[in-house]
Amino acid sequence: MQTSHPEIHQVNLHILSPIHIGTGQEMDPFSYVIKDNTLYTINLIEWMNAFPEQENLRKIMESDSFAEIRTFIAENIEAESFALASIPVESSSLLCTYKRVMTAKDPRNQLLIDGMIKSEVTHIPFIPGSSIKGSIRTAIANHFIKKAGVTSKNKTRVNKPHFEPDYNEKIFGKINNDPMRNLKLSDVSLDKFGSLIVEAEEMPL
């Protein structure tokens, strides 16, 4: 039996617009601090163990006010020394909100952040190869919609003989013959300047 060897190609990808691939988990107020226009994700346990005034720290951490605890951490931690990763903050409104919340010790605003997916080892964000492949597949599908004769009837395939084939089958063929199955893409790691923190704003149409 003859086996085929995959062809390996190196390509350059140019990002044309901001990309966010979330994890479904938000960064809680005790996992980061913002200093000098930079967000630092911190190793809180390591900082607590190294803090010189353990008795004072214990009293603060036993407080019922998480806002006071959060402010105490932000004011006392040496962010660069206990940082797991750092990301520039480009949003001036977010910087103002963070400063206001910290100064007022406001418990109503937790300042939760929807973080980008990142390596568990290096804590550096990356774009999964599967996401890139999905974007390529969508672009190809959109290009061939008219040529393949896709209509509103070609929705998700239902196991009934009188139903039209779904749009995937009309464009890419049956699943066993789908050419996209042979495309494998590696993850793309971003350097420390490859991501930034912004504040999302919903705009009416």
Side-chain angles (χ1 to χ4, degrees), residues 29 42 56 59 71 82 101 110 112 114 130 133 137 144 149 151 155 158 177 199:
I42 57 174
N56 185 31
K59 292 179 181 179
T71 301
F82 297 95
V101 170
Q110 296 187 54
L112 299 176
D114 185 7
S130 58
K133 179 177 177 178
R137 184 185 182 89
F144 286 104
T151 68
K155 299 179 180 179
V158 179
N177 298 322
E199 189 170 17

Side-chain angles (χ1 to χ4, degrees), residues 6 18 21 29 37 42 47 51 58 92 100 102 113 118 142 150 182 200:
I21 302 175
N37 296 358
I42 57 174
W47 171 75
F51 193 74
R58 184 183 63 80
S92 57
R100 174 178 55 78
M102 288 299 176
I113 294 179
K118 55 184 178 292
N142 288 338
V150 174
N182 299 317

Side-chain angles (χ1 to χ4, degrees), residues 21 23 27 41 85 115-126:
I21 302 175
T23 62
M27 297 171 61
T41 55
M116 177 87 168
I117 185 172
K118 55 184 178 292
S119 167
E120 295 183 359
V121 177
T122 64
H123 299 281
I124 296 177
F126 69 92

Side-chain angles (χ1 to χ4, degrees), residues 46-70:
E46 184 177 336
W47 171 75
M48 291 175 61
N49 291 333
F51 193 74
E53 303 176 18
Q54 287 290 313
E55 184 61 25
N56 185 31
L57 177 63
R58 184 183 63 80
K59 292 179 181 179
I60 294 294
M61 298 304 287
E62 290 178 352
S63 169
D64 293 333
S65 173
F66 91 89
E68 289 189 6
I69 297 174
R70 176 176 61 184

Side-chain angles (χ1 to χ4, degrees), residues 70-88:
R70 176 176 61 184
T71 301
F72 180 83
I73 294 172
E75 291 176 347
N76 288 275
I77 192 171
E78 296 177 8
E80 293 186 4
S81 300
F82 297 95
L84 297 172
S86 61
I87 307 172

